[in-house]
Amino acid sequence: KQWYQRRVAITAGAFSNCFSSFCATTRKFRFNRKSVKMSAKNGAKIFKQRCDQCHTVEAGGKHKTGPNLNGLIGRKTGQMAGFQYTKANIDKGITWSPETLDVYLTNPKKYIPGTKMVFAGLKKKKDRNDLIAYLVKSTK
């Protein structure tokens, strides 16, 4: 069998790109051991500890200090109906994806200067990965 190195996006529960082996014969990917592991279960704990006081995730959930996050992935910044966003948030104009969330959750005020979100960010990559896995799963 001939194996090729190919950069692929991890799906369902992970978001980062990683290198994997691809077999042209079986058309299957094998992810290497350095792949990013994400836990939506751990992400739920992080959400409850760090985000729950300001955000909800369920469909039709109310806005708190921050907006309801249902439907977050694929939505542009500052677009959740019924929530008053800052001009900075509306003008940022990015579409939320796991990749943009990773940058944002590292330091929200640096990524969107002028945001009213007081959250300082998550410095640990694993915590961000787990939280993003939870958000992707719970905000569909």
Side-chain angles (χ1 to χ4, degrees):
K1 296 178 185 176
Q2 290 185 340
W3 292 92
Y4 302 95
Q5 286 295 325
R6 182 175 280 185
R7 193 173 171 150
V8 297
I10 301 172
T11 58
F15 67 93
S16 300
N17 287 334
C18 72
F19 288 95
S20 70
S21 298
F22 177 74
C23 176
T25 307
T26 62
R27 304 182 74 69
K28 291 184 180 177
F29 292 99
R30 280 199 230 160
F31 294 98
N32 66 22
R33 290 189 180 110
K34 293 181 182 178
S35 295
V36 177
K37 295 195 180 204
M38 301 174 82
S39 168
K41 185 177 178 181
N42 288 341
K45 291 176 188 173
I46 294 167
F47 185 85
K48 187 170 175 99
Q49 294 167 351
R50 308 288 298 272
C51 313
D52 192 51
Q53 56 272 33
C54 297
H55 296 281
T56 57
V57 293
E58 62 276 348
K62 66 177 184 167
H63 299 303
K64 293 182 176 180
T65 304
N68 173 280
L69 300 177
N70 193 263
L72 176 69
I73 305 299
R75 188 172 67 216
K76 286 197 175 276
T77 54
Q79 301 299 316
M80 184 61 159
F83 186 79
Q84 264 192 318
Y85 289 94
T86 61
K87 183 168 177 15
N89 223 311
I90 295 167
D91 291 346
K92 184 69 174 181
I94 58 115
T95 300
W96 291 119
S97 69
E99 293 82 5
T100 55
L101 278 172
D102 184 45
V103 177
Y104 180 71
L105 291 171
T106 302
N107 188 338
K109 288 195 179 287
K110 183 177 179 183
Y111 191 62
I112 303 179
T115 185
K116 63 183 175 183
M117 187 159 146
V118 295
F119 179 61
L122 293 170
K123 303 305 176 215
K124 294 181 182 174
K125 178 80 170 156
K126 177 157 180 24
D127 288 348
R128 289 193 312 273
N129 289 345
D130 291 347
L131 179 59
I132 291 167
Y134 171 73
L135 290 172
V136 167
K137 181 179 176 184
S138 65
T139 63
K140 288 182 180 177

